[in-house]
Amino acid sequence: MKCSDPKTIATISSMNSSSSSFSSTVATATSSILSTPPVILSPCAACKILRRRCVEKCVLAPYFPPTEPLKFTIAHRVFGASNIIKMLQELPEEQRADAVNSMVYEANARIRDPVYGCAGAICQLQKQISELQAEFAKAHAEIMNLKCQNSNLLALVCMEVSENSSSSSLLSSDHINDYGNNTSMFLEDNSVYAAWEPLWT
């Protein structure tokens, strides 16, 4: 049976075109989904080294990322995986990062110095601190000695300056007195000459 109504024919053709565009959109989306590689979650460094499945809420995953396998290797060599997990589980989450850093530092020190470990490094640092404190005290004593010497020299210079100024003032007063005496003698000589002036006239 053929449909001769033009409106019906137009409606059927528009439905066919929309269904074809929808199918092309679905095909494009499907091809894009298939073309993108699936995201593979890498296990943490601890689970990778221990060769076990890394669960979603792994205790070690936030502190031993897969990019830092040496960090867990050093800590695992000294403390062991079970002890690390036990210590982390006993601590609150805000303290676990500091605990992991402390364990890694202690493990490094223990590998360098198997006898004393971190205590040996602490003793060495304390020895350096005491030596630096002794040097600082010596330098401080030398500075105080130099300050005392400087103050003594300054006092001597002031005394010499005051003595020189007093002696110069005394000398100047003596010169003035001598000059006054000389002028009186000069006046006396003039009086003598004045007494002889009538004889010349």
Side-chain angles (χ1 to χ4, degrees):
M1 181 180 178
K2 293 182 180 180
C3 181
S4 60
D5 190 3
K7 291 182 179 180
T8 305
I9 295 170
T11 302
I12 292 170
S13 62
S14 64
M15 289 175 64
N16 290 331
S17 63
S18 63
S19 63
S20 62
S21 64
F22 177 74
S23 62
S24 64
T25 304
V26 170
T28 304
T30 306
S31 63
S32 64
I33 291 171
L34 293 175
S35 62
T36 56
V39 179
I40 300 173
L41 296 175
S42 178
C44 66
C47 294
K48 191 173 183 181
I49 291 169
L50 297 174
R51 295 180 181 179
R52 67 180 187 182
R53 184 173 175 272
C54 190
V55 296
E56 184 179 356
K57 294 182 179 180
C58 180
V59 181
L60 303 172
Y63 314 107
F64 299 103
T67 56
E68 298 178 3
L70 185 62
K71 187 176 179 181
F72 179 77
T73 303
I74 294 170
H76 174 63
R77 182 178 174 182
V78 175
F79 295 101
S82 60
N83 290 327
I84 295 172
I85 294 170
K86 184 179 179 181
M87 283 188 282
L88 290 178
Q89 287 176 347
E90 292 176 354
L91 291 172
E93 291 185 0
E94 61 270 12
Q95 296 179 1
R96 291 180 181 178
D98 294 333
V100 168
N101 292 330
S102 299
M103 283 188 283
V104 173
Y105 182 80
E106 174 66 27
N108 277 316
R110 186 67 63 180
I111 290 171
R112 289 195 302 268
D113 188 357
V115 177
Y116 296 104
C118 189
I122 293 171
C123 292
Q124 186 178 1
L125 292 174
Q126 287 178 348
K127 183 179 178 182
Q128 291 179 1
I129 289 170
S130 62
E131 290 175 355
L132 291 173
Q133 286 177 347
E135 291 180 2
F136 177 75
K138 184 179 178 182
H140 185 69
E142 290 178 356
I143 290 169
M144 294 301 293
N145 190 13
L146 291 173
K147 284 183 178 179
C148 291
Q149 290 179 3
N150 191 12
S151 62
N152 292 331
L153 288 173
L154 186 61
L156 289 173
V157 168
C158 292
M159 288 175 64
E160 289 180 359
V161 169
S162 63
E163 289 176 357
N164 291 330
S165 62
S166 63
S167 63
S168 63
S169 63
L170 289 173
L171 289 173
S172 63
S173 64
D174 291 338
H175 284 301
I176 291 169
N177 292 329
D178 292 340
Y179 181 73
N181 294 329
N182 291 330
T183 54
S184 64
M185 290 174 64
F186 179 72
L187 290 174
E188 289 176 357
D189 292 340
N190 287 335
S191 65
V192 171
Y193 291 142
W196 288 94
E197 282 181 359
L199 296 176
W200 294 99
T201 55

